[in-house]
Amino acid sequence: MNPLTQRNCEIEYFDIDTDASHIELGECILKHISTQDFYTKTPIILCIGTDRATGDCLGPLVGEQLQQLGIKYKIFGNLSSPVHALNIRDVINHIQKAYDNPYVIAIDASLGSSTHVGNITVSDCPIFPGKGVNKKLPAIGDLSITGIVNISGQNPSVLQSTRLYTVMQLANCITDALIYSINHLEDFCPL
């Protein structure tokens, strides 16, 4: 059996409709990172998705925002160089070969129930990119962050009909939470 499927993953949900949602999300990210030996690892932020489908551009939007803010961690995936189904295997192989002891924070859009659309999830298990649209891609991530952009189901065009407003709200909250956690990291993991 695959060890990734054997693991019991706890998923935490965050509603972005509260004023402090990015702080709550940032605190959750800090909690997960502080349980790891984070400073002995190479932090990588992997933003998965494509700019060719509104519902799937969450990852590239977060990557773009983080790069514009000049954060110190290595970022893969933005609007000009997205990480998607056609190149994700190559990117994962590059990360594993080029970086010593990487700690990958994987970010991707996801589909869920109607009550969870507009929520963000955090898990210490990997993301399975493309799972919501029945693609079989490699799992990735020591910490996974997803934004639930639309309702899961049998409609293959659901990512094309997703509201950009929802995706932007999720991307802004995830970006703000990551900046918050990076800025407060030394409180949890002193040098």
Side-chain angles (χ1 to χ4, degrees):
M1 223 179 151
N2 182 342
L4 295 175
T5 58
Q6 288 179 348
R7 224 167 129 186
N8 187 13
C9 298
E10 180 181 325
I11 299 173
E12 298 176 67
Y13 287 82
F14 295 87
D15 183 352
I16 64 167
D17 288 335
T18 64
D19 289 339
S21 58
H22 75 282
I23 295 172
E24 294 168 6
L25 180 59
E27 290 288 338
C28 179
I29 293 167
L30 279 170
K31 177 185 75 172
H32 283 280
I33 290 173
S34 67
T35 63
Q36 304 291 318
D37 193 9
F38 189 72
Y39 280 109
T40 66
K41 300 186 180 202
T42 304
I44 307 280
I45 300 177
L46 177 62
C47 301
I48 303 164
T50 179
D51 60 342
R52 295 180 182 236
T54 306
D56 202 24
C57 69
L58 175 71
L61 285 169
V62 172
E64 189 75 20
Q65 291 176 1
L66 291 172
Q67 282 187 326
Q68 288 178 0
L69 291 168
I71 69 159
K72 60 185 174 182
Y73 300 151
K74 181 66 180 162
I75 300 167
F76 288 90
N78 60 23
L79 291 174
S80 64
S81 299
V83 175
H84 47 66
L86 300 178
N87 66 2
I88 192 164
R89 285 179 176 86
D90 292 337
V91 171
I92 291 170
N93 287 336
H94 172 74
I95 289 170
Q96 291 170 343
K97 290 177 182 173
Y99 297 95
D100 290 332
N101 203 13
Y103 182 92
V104 177
I105 299 172
I107 300 163
D108 197 3
S110 67
L111 302 172
S113 70
S114 60
T115 58
H116 285 142
V117 172
N119 280 277
I120 295 169
T121 69
V122 176
S123 174
D124 61 353
C125 286
I127 282 179
F128 290 86
K131 185 177 179 183
V133 290
N134 298 317
K135 291 186 179 176
K136 302 229 186 280
L137 299 170
I140 184 69
D142 297 290
L143 181 67
S144 301
I145 302 171
T146 68
I148 303 172
V149 298
N150 212 330
I151 301 168
S152 62
Q154 301 302 322
N155 184 355
S157 66
V158 72
L159 290 175
Q160 298 293 346
S161 62
T162 297
R163 292 192 65 215
L164 180 58
Y165 178 80
T166 301
V167 177
M168 287 300 300
Q169 294 296 103
L170 291 164
N172 292 341
C173 185
I174 292 169
T175 300
D176 290 346
L178 285 167
I179 295 300
Y180 175 89
S181 62
I182 290 166
N183 289 339
H184 291 84
L185 190 58
E186 51 277 348
D187 295 340
F188 286 81
C189 301
L191 290 173

